């Protein structure tokens, strides 16, 4: 089963200067472990919120709005696509990902199974 993990970040909970060198090193180790285990299919961070564009449909009318979106209480900062035997396994990998961030971050994962085409 494939799972999409959306990395949700509270902008107020990001340490000054962003991820530390130590965090990036630990992230690299985890990504390597997940890749060798055949779990990680794809992962990436996303461009900053102020570089995003929102395309919205409301009442039949399409609107294109450029960021930043100051009303956002959280934003999707990245994603990971994994291949796991169960949702529980996907959650365990997600917990490990969050744990390496330490206590300076306000961050959450939304883990959802990818619905396969019929």
């Amino acid at each position: 089963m494939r799972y999409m993990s959306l990395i949700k970040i509270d902008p107020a909970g990001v340490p000054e200067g962003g991820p530390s060198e130590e965090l990036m090193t630990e992230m690299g180790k985890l990504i390597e472990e997940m890749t060798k285990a055949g779990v990680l299919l794809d992962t990436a961070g996303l461009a900053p919120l102020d570089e995003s564009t929102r395309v919205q449909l409301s009442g039949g009318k399409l609107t294109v709005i450029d960021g930043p979106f100051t009303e956002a209480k959280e934003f999707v900062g990245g994603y990971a696509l994994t291949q796991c035997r169960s949702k529980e396994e996907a959650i365990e990998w997600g917990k490990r990902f969050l744990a390496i961030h330490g206590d300076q971050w306000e961050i959450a994962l939304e883990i959802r199974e990818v619905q396969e085409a019929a």
Side-chain angles (χ1 to χ4, degrees):
M1 294 177 280
R2 294 184 304 155
Y3 291 90
M4 175 65 72
S5 297
L6 300 173
I7 304 160
K8 295 189 169 186
I9 301 172
D10 178 346
V14 175
E16 180 104 11
S20 67
E21 191 173 316
E22 179 184 351
L23 173 58
M24 295 309 292
T25 298
E26 292 303 310
M27 185 74 61
K29 289 177 185 176
L30 181 61
I31 288 171
E32 183 177 342
E33 181 181 350
M34 292 176 75
T35 301
K36 285 182 179 177
V39 171
L40 187 62
L41 301 177
D42 191 27
T43 188
L46 300 176
L49 194 57
D50 61 350
E51 295 177 20
S52 65
T53 300
R54 183 179 296 159
V55 180
Q56 182 173 320
L57 176 66
S58 178
K61 180 181 178 193
L62 284 170
T63 307
V64 178
I65 307 165
D66 289 327
F69 304 107
T70 55
E71 75 281 1
K73 293 188 171 125
E74 64 180 22
F75 63 93
V76 177
Y79 69 92
L81 182 62
T82 58
Q83 179 82 40
C84 299
R85 292 181 294 276
S86 65
K87 185 175 186 177
E88 291 74 24
E89 181 185 7
I91 291 169
E92 286 305 312
W93 284 111
K95 288 164 67 175
R96 289 186 59 193
F97 169 80
L98 291 179
I100 64 175
H101 285 78
D103 59 1
Q104 295 183 358
W105 288 78
E106 291 295 325
I107 186 171
L109 287 182
E110 181 178 322
I111 301 172
R112 298 171 65 182
E113 185 176 347
V114 175
Q115 297 292 301
E116 303 298 337

